[in-house]
Structure formats: C-alpha cells, structure tokens
Amino acid sequence: MSLQRITNIPRRQAIPILYTRGTHYEVGYDVGRTFAAIIKNFLQLSGPLNESYLPLYNTEEGRKVYNATLESVKRSFPQYVRELEGTADGAQVEFHKLFLLHLDEILPVAVDGINSINQPIGCSTICVNEPGCEILAHTEDALSEVLNHYYFVSAHIISDSPQGKYNVIEERFTSLCYAGHLPGYTMNYNHHGLVFSINTLSARSLVSGKTPRHFITRALLSAENFIQAQQILRDHGVGAADGCSINMTFLRQEGDRLFHNAEMGPATVGADQSHLNIFTASPGECIIHANKYLRLPVPEMTGLIIDSSIERMKTFGGFQAPKSVHDVIKMLGDTSAREHTVFREKGPKDVIKTVCVGIFDCIKRTWTLYSDNPKFNAPLVVLPLTLREQ
C-alpha cells in the first residue's frame, strides 16, 4: 500500500491494553508483536517522520545528530535502547524509524534551527488539591494521525543486574503509549505510587548528544520518590536535549497531598544537566499547565504551539478555580474558544485532536480514561492504581 493511499479512520471507542513481564527487550518485543499493525500504520501515517525526520536522517549532518544522540542514550540508558529494539523487532519495523520518533524535533532544530511541525500540539493538565478531591487530570492532544494509534502497556520488568545510570533492578508500571513509542511520555503511574502526565514544551535551542525527553520520562517510571524523580529530570552528567512539563504526585507520600509541576529545559551547550523549576501545590491550591513555559526562563519557539497554549490558558482563566471532578471535566471538555479549544475535535480535517482524556483520583486510587469529550461521554475504562505491597 502506498503512503498516499493510507488514511486514518474516524475516532474509535477503543483502547487496547497489554500485560507483559520480562526483560526490557522481552517487554519491548511483546509490545511490538502485539501492536505491530498499529505501529506499522502509524509509521506510514506520520507526517513529521516521513516529511522531515527521515529526509534529514539521510543527510550527513542529520546522521551526525542521530548518531551522537543514540550513543549518548546508550551510555545512560542502554536498557531502554534494548526495549525499543525489542519493539522494532516484534513489530518488524526499522529501529531507526522508532528512534527518530523519540528524537522528535531535536533533528530539525539541531540541523536547520526550525520547528518542522509548527502546529498547536500539546496537552492540558489540571491538578486539584482540595478536601475530598485530589486529582490529576490531563487531555492527550496530538497530531491527528495519533488518533486510534495508542494503547496501554502494563509491564513488570525484572533484570538480573542493575540497569543504566540509576542501577534499576525492577520496574512495574502502566503507561498510555503512542504507537511505537516507549512508555512514559503521556499519562502514567508506577508501583511505587508515582502518578504523572507530560506537557510538551518547545525550547528554541536543541542540541545533539543529550538525552531526549522521551528517555528521561521513560526513566521516570522507575522513580521511587520525589528526590529520585528530580534526579532523573536533572539528568546529571548529560542533561535533556529538549523540554517538557511534568505534573506529578506520589500516592504514598507522608503528610498532606502535594502535587508538583516541574518545568524541564534542555541543557545548554557546555552544561551537563537539565534546567529545572518546580512548583508545588499544597492543599487548597491547584496547578494548570499547557505547553508554554510559565516560570523557567527558556527561550521558546514561536508559532502555533504557543498561540494555542495562550488561548487555552485564557479559557481556563474564565473558570473559577476547580474544586471537584465535575469542575475539571467542564474545563477539559470546553470547546468555546474561537480557534484553539481545550478539547480539540472540530472536524475530520483537524490537524490536532484530543485523542483521549485521563483523570487520576488519588483518594479512590483509580485512573479513568475517556476516549471522547468527557463533558458528553461516559468513561471508556476505569483502572485501579495497583501499588507494590510494603
């Protein structure tokens, strides 16, 4: 089938899930084998991959950026490279295509200094910390080809020896994954009680030889506590190649519930760790974040991702501070904005769509997933948050 004839199908009310246990490679292989059709179709549909990343990969300068970044990741996180190799082998697709997806805009920005997508991509997150209501809620917004190309991975990984720069032996987590992508970059929780979601941020300057954010957030799935989470985000010795916002809480923390928003900026040339700014919401406070730096002074790309974030934050500003799940659903399901709505589903020609909405309830310890606008639709699934026995 030629690339020109491949089209996505309308929104489906379906989110497949895989339960898998094994080594990093075995888990990756199971993911690839199970979701091979979805992964192959996504690789054919992906505009950035086929129109930007692959052409740049086939240039001398692009290959230098690719190789320098891959070698850096292999030094820090060889286990996650093996995991991705397993996914490629299981799905019977080329590894370099999957790794290019994880480089994201590092390649075009590092080579040409341009944002090759320039679309209003990104997600919105709301954390509410009120008596009887402790929730982290998130819209998963992405290029329209991501619609119907995502799945849950619930994995238990046990290694014979310490893995990677943090000497991890065991990981157990559930993550919503884009097709062909490592777990960790959307909505997630692990068996230590870490719950987190990601907002893409577009720093202006990205460099090769650093750690792509996808691998940092994959490593975050191993974090046992807030101190370890900060260590992983700072990525001492290397630093992030690009930026994102991480919204998180730990279900087993002592004392009052705390939610954290960490803005991570890429390590500048010559620096060996990410830039990091953390805001903490205590009881009675909330966090609202989209796809623009609010505190960390990182120069950003101009364009639709910023315009969209500004308009969505303006929409949120028209609501009273959320106090309940109902309040959050109204906000995340809002479609009132003139151009960049919070929930994105204007029509079949949308470049960006909200592919799903998730709500983590820290009191009930549940993860509720909506495959359509939560204002008008019942959840598709409610998953229990299963933690490690103490």
Side-chain angles (χ1 to χ4, degrees):
M1 185 180 292
S2 68
L3 179 64
Q4 289 76 17
R5 291 166 54 194
I6 296 170
T7 57
N8 203 351
I9 58 177
R11 183 186 295 270
R12 303 296 302 163
Q13 304 301 315
I15 307 176
I17 186 167
L18 169 68
Y19 295 94
T20 174
R21 179 173 60 217
T23 64
H24 286 278
Y25 179 86
E26 289 168 343
V27 164
Y29 186 90
D30 288 340
V31 170
R33 176 177 173 271
T34 303
F35 300 118
I38 296 175
I39 293 169
K40 288 176 179 176
N41 202 53
F42 179 71
L43 291 178
Q44 292 173 307
L45 282 171
S46 174
L49 175 66
N50 293 292
E51 296 165 17
S52 175
Y53 306 161
L54 280 171
L56 283 170
Y57 172 80
N58 290 320
T59 66
E60 182 179 357
E61 188 61 31
R63 194 65 63 88
K64 287 181 180 177
V65 171
Y66 176 96
N67 288 335
T69 307
L70 177 58
E71 289 307 310
S72 177
V73 175
K74 283 182 175 180
R75 288 191 294 271
S76 293
F77 303 113
Q79 74 273 34
Y80 302 141
V81 175
R82 289 196 299 274
E83 193 173 311
L84 195 61
E85 289 171 342
T87 300
D89 290 347
Q92 298 184 343
V93 300
E94 299 96 324
F95 170 81
H96 73 272
K97 290 184 178 180
L98 298 189
F99 192 74
L100 285 169
L101 292 177
H102 291 74
L103 288 182
D104 210 337
E105 289 296 281
I106 295 168
L107 200 56
V109 173
V111 174
D112 295 327
I114 61 169
N115 180 339
S116 71
I117 297 178
N118 191 26
Q119 294 294 343
I121 58 174
C123 311
S124 304
T125 299
I126 301 174
C127 300
V128 177
N129 198 358
E130 295 289 335
C133 182
E134 301 170 2
I135 62 171
L136 187 157
H138 181 81
T139 64
E140 195 58 49
D141 304 338
L143 292 169
S144 59
E145 55 257 38
V146 175
L147 189 69
N148 307 314
H149 292 88
Y150 59 93
Y151 40 76
F152 283 115
V153 172
S154 185
H156 187 190
I157 301 172
I158 302 176
S159 304
D160 292 334
S161 59
Q163 300 290 303
K165 67 193 293 183
Y166 302 119
N167 298 312
V168 179
I169 292 287
E170 181 182 14
E171 294 183 80
R172 196 164 193 168
F173 57 81
T174 300
S175 175
L176 190 74
C177 305
Y178 292 168
H181 290 69
L182 289 170
Y185 197 68
T186 61
M187 294 176 266
N188 323 265
Y189 85 94
N190 72 12
H191 69 160
H192 300 296
L194 168 61
V195 171
F196 68 99
S197 70
I198 306 298
N199 311 116
T200 296
L201 300 176
S202 293
R204 187 185 304 164
S205 180
L206 310 180
V207 295
S208 62
K210 301 292 185 181
T211 309
R213 57 196 173 202
H214 285 72
F215 285 88
I216 289 178
T217 58
R218 173 63 188 86
L220 198 58
L221 284 168
S222 69
E224 297 184 21
N225 51 56
F226 188 45
I227 294 175
Q228 286 188 9
Q230 292 177 78
Q231 178 187 35
I232 290 167
L233 296 176
R234 291 195 185 278
D235 195 39
H236 292 280
V238 184
D242 43 4
C244 64
S245 157
I246 303 94
N247 314 277
M248 57 184 159
T249 189
F250 282 86
L251 298 178
R252 283 179 167 162
Q253 67 194 31
E254 296 182 1
D256 292 333
R257 165 71 48 211
L258 299 174
F259 289 95
H260 312 281
N261 172 261
E263 291 186 345
M264 183 182 74
T268 50
V269 176
D272 66 351
Q273 66 177 29
S274 315
H275 295 283
L276 200 64
N277 180 288
I278 296 176
F279 171 80
T280 297
S282 300
E285 299 178 326
C286 70
I287 292 173
I288 300 177
H289 211 289
N291 307 101
K292 185 180 186 305
Y293 283 101
L294 301 179
R295 304 177 307 276
L296 200 62
V298 173
E300 296 179 270
M301 286 284 185
T302 58
L304 292 173
I305 186 172
I306 301 301
D307 298 341
S308 169
S309 293
I310 291 172
E311 188 164 5
R312 279 178 283 139
M313 292 298 284
K314 183 178 179 181
T315 297
F316 291 143
F319 289 88
Q320 292 185 342
K323 305 288 186 182
S324 66
V325 173
H326 179 70
D327 292 343
V328 169
I329 287 175
K330 286 197 300 182
M331 294 170 73
L332 293 184
D334 189 272
T335 57
S336 64
R338 177 171 297 180
E339 185 172 3
H340 301 296
T341 58
V342 177
F343 190 92
R344 311 193 208 187
E345 177 75 315
K346 290 185 177 180
K349 295 184 179 180
D350 289 340
V351 176
I352 302 297
K353 288 185 180 290
T354 299
V355 299
C356 62
V357 176
I359 300 177
F360 292 96
D361 190 315
C362 300
I363 297 175
K364 296 180 180 178
R365 292 192 176 180
T366 57
W367 181 3
T368 301
L369 248 291
Y370 297 82
S371 55
D372 213 326
N373 193 321
K375 281 181 65 175
F376 310 112
N377 297 276
L380 185 62
V381 64
V382 180
L383 298 175
L385 302 179
T386 305
L387 306 188
R388 182 177 189 169
E389 292 184 6
Q390 291 181 309

